[in-house]
Amino acid sequence: SLDRDSKRIVFAQGYYSQSRRDAAPANKASDLNTAAAWLFSGKLEDIPSQLRATIEECRQALRDCEIDSIELLYVHNLPESVNVNKELQTAAAHLKRAIGEPSSIIILSREMGSSAIEHLFAAQESHIEVKEVITCPAKVAFTENGPNWEASVLSVPGAWLNSLFTKYGDNLFSANYRGFLGIAKRRKINSAIRSTVETRPSDFWVFNNGITLLTLGLQPTKDGTRLTGISIINGAQTTGSIGSVDVNRHDLKDMKVLCRIIRCNDQNTISDIVKYNNTQNEITTWDRYSNDVEQNRIQKEFDELGHSYSRKRGFRLHGEQIGIEEVVQPLIAFYGRYHDASRGKNEIFERRTLYNLAFQVKKARHILFIYTLARSIDARRIELKNKSNSSSIISIEEEQLSLLRSMRFKYFFMAVVGRSIETILGRKINLETVAFSPGAAHAANYSIVALAAVWSPVVEAILSYIATQTNASDFAIRLNDEDILDQISKPVNAMLYASRSLLPIDNFVPLVQDS
C-alpha cells in the first residue's frame, strides 16, 4: 500500500496457521522479496489487475521522490524465528540494491508473530510499549500533582535519549500519534534539530521546547530516577533527531533536554493526557489552519445543520463526524485539481493557494455535497469488491473495480463529476458553490450515509461511462496527459446528455441548488 502523507510504501505478507508450530514458514517471508521486485521491474501487464494501479502509483511516487521509507512486514500467528528474520533481512538488502545508491529511502523489515501482536494489543490498552525498568541519570527538579497523576520536571542528558532511541527505536513512541519521521531533505525541521545537537549542544536546552514522557512508575534514586515503562508522548521528532546523531563523532556530554515525566495508571486519564499532549505538538501550517477564521465559520455552519465537523487533525473520528483532513482532497479534486489532491493532505495544507481553493468562502452545505460524493464513491468500490469476493461480479464491473482500486483515479473521477454536474442537473451551476439545499443538508432530514446513497445513481452512471473511455492498465499512463480530463469528460458528458431522461436521478436533482 502507498501512504502518501507518511511518505511510505508498505509490503505485507500474511500467514495463519491452524496448528501450533515453532515458527512460521520462512519462504513466505521471501515472497516479500518477489513482491518488492515487482515494484521496480515487473511489467505492468503481467501484474494482477487488483495490484496494477497500486504498483504504478508507487512507481510514480518513487520517481517524484515522494517516498521516505519502504516497510516489509510478515504477519502471522506463530512465534518469531531467526530463519524468518534472516529472510526478511535478505529481502530488505535486495530492495536496497534495487533502489540503488545513494538513496535516502529507509528500508525497514519486521516479523510480527504472536508475541509481537500480543505486545501491540497490550500497548494499545496501556499506551506504553517499552515496559522495562529504566534508570534516567537525572534527578527530579520539582513535581506537580493532579487527581490521578504526578508530573516531574527533569533536565536529562542528550546522550541518554540517544541511547534510548538506539535501543528501542519507534517503540518509544507507542503512545504518540506519530513516530519519528526521519532525517531527509523534506524533513527540514528534524535536520535542523540534529544540526543543533551536533554544532551547539550546550545551547540545545534553550533552543528546544523539550519532551514529555509517560510512565507507569517513578522512583527517585541516589544517582537519578527509576522509571517503570516509558513512552514519549510529545517530542518524537526531537528524540529521533537526537538519536540519529553519531555519538562517536559528536560529544553530547554538555547537552541537556528539558523533560517532563508524567506518572499515571488510570486508563481514562492516560487517554486524555496522550490526546491533549499530541494536539500541542510542533505547530505546522496544517495546525494553524485549525483555528482559521474560515474553519471556525465552517464548523459553526455544520453545527447549525446538525452535523459534527472537526477542525483539528490527528483525532480518530467517530460516527458521522466530518473532519478537515477528510474533506480537503475531495474539495480540490472536484474543482479539477486531481493531481494536487493525489499528492496527499500535507501538500495541500502547505500551499496557501490550495487551502484557499478548498475552504475560502465555501459553505458547509457545499462541503457536505462534495464530501458525500467521495463517500458514495468509496461505497461503490466496497460494493464491487464484495461482489468480486463472492464471484458475482460481471466483466464491466470488474473494469470499474480495477479503476477504483487506484486512489489517484478516485480524485480524477471526482474531477469528471465536477465537469459533468451541469449535465446531470440540466442547468447552469457554479462549481464552487453548488450544494445540497438547506433542507437536504440538515441532519434531521438526511444523514451523511443517506446523502451518499442519494449520489449513488450519479456515481454508477458516470463510472460506467468512464470505464468505456479508459481501462485500468491504460489509466496510470494516460493520467500524465495534460488534457486527459477533457478527453474523458467530454464524451462522458455527451453520453450523460443523451441518456439523462433514463437515469434514476429523480431523488438527487431536487436536493441540489446553486447557493
Side-chain angles (χ1 to χ4, degrees):
S1 67
L2 171 63
D3 184 344
R4 290 185 180 275
D5 288 314
S6 297
K7 299 184 183 297
R8 65 175 179 169
I9 295 172
V10 180
F11 288 92
Q13 170 70 52
Y15 177 78
Y16 183 81
S17 175
Q18 298 284 359
S19 58
R20 296 180 63 87
R21 297 169 58 183
D22 292 335
N27 65 310
K28 290 288 184 180
S30 63
D31 288 346
L32 287 167
N33 189 38
T34 304
W38 277 106
L39 175 63
F40 292 96
S41 57
K43 293 182 179 179
L44 280 178
E45 57 268 26
D46 295 334
I47 296 173
S49 59
Q50 64 268 33
L51 297 176
R52 197 173 298 149
T54 301
I55 290 293
E56 178 55 29
E57 287 186 11
C58 290
R59 289 179 179 180
Q60 187 64 49
L62 287 165
R63 287 193 292 268
D64 294 340
C65 299
E66 294 177 348
I67 299 301
D68 284 345
S69 65
I70 300 177
E71 300 178 22
L72 305 176
L73 303 180
Y74 182 20
V75 186
H76 56 78
N77 65 330
L78 295 168
E80 291 86 0
S81 70
V82 172
N83 286 339
V84 166
N85 273 271
K86 284 182 178 179
E87 289 290 344
L88 286 172
Q89 290 167 16
T90 299
H94 287 166
L95 189 52
K96 286 180 181 178
R97 286 195 293 272
I99 293 174
E101 297 292 343
S103 174
S104 61
I105 297 176
I106 300 170
I107 308 299
L108 304 171
S109 62
R110 185 177 181 188
E111 179 185 15
M112 298 188 67
S114 54
S115 62
I117 293 171
E118 288 172 6
H119 200 61
L120 282 177
F121 275 110
Q124 185 95 9
E125 292 299 316
S126 69
H127 298 280
I128 295 178
E129 191 167 331
V130 177
K131 298 181 180 296
E132 300 175 18
V133 175
I134 296 169
T135 299
C136 173
K139 293 188 176 182
V140 173
F142 65 89
T143 63
E144 291 286 350
N145 293 280
N148 296 310
W149 56 267
E150 177 183 282
S152 303
V153 176
L154 301 80
S155 187
V156 303
W160 179 65
L161 291 177
N162 180 281
S163 66
L164 285 180
F165 185 75
T166 300
K167 182 175 182 179
Y168 298 111
D170 271 350
N171 288 347
L172 277 177
F173 315 126
S174 57
N176 205 317
Y177 288 164
R178 294 185 301 178
F180 177 50
L181 299 177
I183 302 288
K185 290 181 179 179
R186 294 182 298 280
R187 305 297 184 192
K188 295 180 180 179
I189 293 176
N190 290 354
S191 296
I193 293 173
R194 185 172 70 177
S195 177
T196 303
V197 175
E198 295 173 345
T199 60
R200 303 184 65 176
S202 58
D203 290 326
F204 191 88
W205 198 96
V206 292
F207 289 167
N208 188 270
N209 290 331
I211 66 172
T212 300
L213 302 181
L214 183 66
T215 187
L216 298 174
L218 182 150
Q219 178 66 46
T221 65
K222 181 180 178 181
D223 300 319
T225 307
R226 183 180 296 117
L227 306 172
T228 303
I230 62 170
S231 179
I232 295 173
I233 59 174
N234 190 280
Q237 307 318 309
T238 293
T239 305
S241 299
I242 294 170
S244 68
V245 172
D246 185 350
V247 293
N248 294 318
R249 297 176 56 194
H250 301 279
D251 189 354
L252 304 185
K253 66 180 177 60
D254 294 328
M255 181 192 160
K256 295 291 183 67
V257 181
L258 177 64
C259 179
R260 184 176 58 153
I261 299 178
I262 302 172
R263 180 190 60 78
C264 183
N265 291 286
D266 180 75
Q267 293 303 315
N268 291 330
T269 304
I270 287 176
S271 295
D272 286 339
I273 290 170
V274 170
K275 180 176 74 173
Y276 290 117
N277 271 270
N278 275 288
T279 60
Q280 296 172 28
N281 278 332
E282 165 211 341
I283 301 300
T284 65
T285 305
W286 186 342
D287 296 317
R288 293 191 193 102
Y289 287 144
S290 67
N291 286 318
D292 184 79
V293 172
E294 292 290 333
Q295 291 301 321
N296 284 306
R297 175 189 57 77
I298 291 168
Q299 184 179 50
K300 184 178 179 180
E301 289 183 11
F302 270 110
D303 288 343
E304 291 171 352
L305 293 171
H307 295 291
S308 179
Y309 177 78
S310 173
R311 298 176 287 113
K312 305 283 187 179
R313 67 166 176 154
F315 290 104
R316 186 179 297 277
L317 300 178
H318 299 283
E320 290 200 326
Q321 185 179 26
I322 304 169
I324 181 175
E325 58 203 88
E326 289 189 310
V327 303
V328 65
Q329 289 166 288
L331 282 166
I332 67 169
F334 188 76
Y335 307 142
R337 302 290 290 269
Y338 55 92
H339 282 304
D340 291 312
S342 297
R343 292 190 180 101
K345 297 182 284 286
N346 291 339
E347 179 102 359
I348 300 170
F349 284 102
E350 287 170 2
R351 295 169 61 184
R352 183 81 201 195
T353 53
L354 290 179
Y355 172 84
N356 287 343
L357 175 64
F359 294 110
Q360 197 168 43
V361 303
K362 302 301 191 303
K363 293 185 179 296
R365 291 188 288 113
H366 171 72
I367 294 173
L368 184 66
F369 182 74
I370 296 173
Y371 172 67
T372 52
L373 165 61
R375 287 281 297 265
S376 186
I377 294 170
D378 291 338
R380 181 59 176 166
R381 177 181 56 80
I382 293 170
E383 180 184 5
L384 292 176
K385 184 178 179 182
N386 290 338
K387 293 184 74 172
S388 178
N389 291 339
S390 64
S391 300
S392 60
I393 193 169
I394 61 177
S395 297
I396 191 171
E397 292 174 333
E398 286 180 341
E399 188 61 42
Q400 294 173 21
L401 179 58
S402 295
L403 287 167
L404 286 171
R405 285 193 173 104
S406 167
M407 186 59 69
R408 296 171 78 198
F409 174 76
K410 174 184 175 180
Y411 297 126
F412 176 79
F413 184 12
M414 295 195 71
V416 175
V417 175
R419 290 285 186 93
S420 307
I421 196 65
E422 280 192 351
T423 307
I424 290 289
L425 297 174
R427 62 181 185 269
K428 290 286 290 184
I429 57 96
N430 185 325
L431 203 60
E432 296 189 25
T433 59
V434 61
F436 283 121
S437 66
H442 202 286
N445 300 320
Y446 286 89
S447 67
I448 290 173
V449 172
L451 290 174
V454 166
W455 268 106
S456 292
V458 177
V459 168
E460 292 175 21
I462 296 180
L463 178 59
S464 297
Y465 292 149
I466 293 176
T468 66
Q469 300 299 310
T470 189
N471 55 58
S473 59
D474 292 339
F475 175 75
I477 298 172
R478 292 188 65 190
L479 192 60
N480 295 320
D481 294 344
E482 290 184 5
D483 58 348
I484 185 176
L485 187 54
D486 282 336
Q487 292 175 13
I488 300 295
S489 61
K490 285 182 178 179
V492 166
N493 266 290
M495 287 185 281
L496 285 170
Y497 184 78
S499 60
R500 185 175 180 274
S501 62
L502 302 176
L503 296 177
I505 55 176
D506 291 344
N507 292 331
F508 174 77
V509 175
L511 303 183
V512 184
Q513 68 180 46
D514 196 359
S515 60

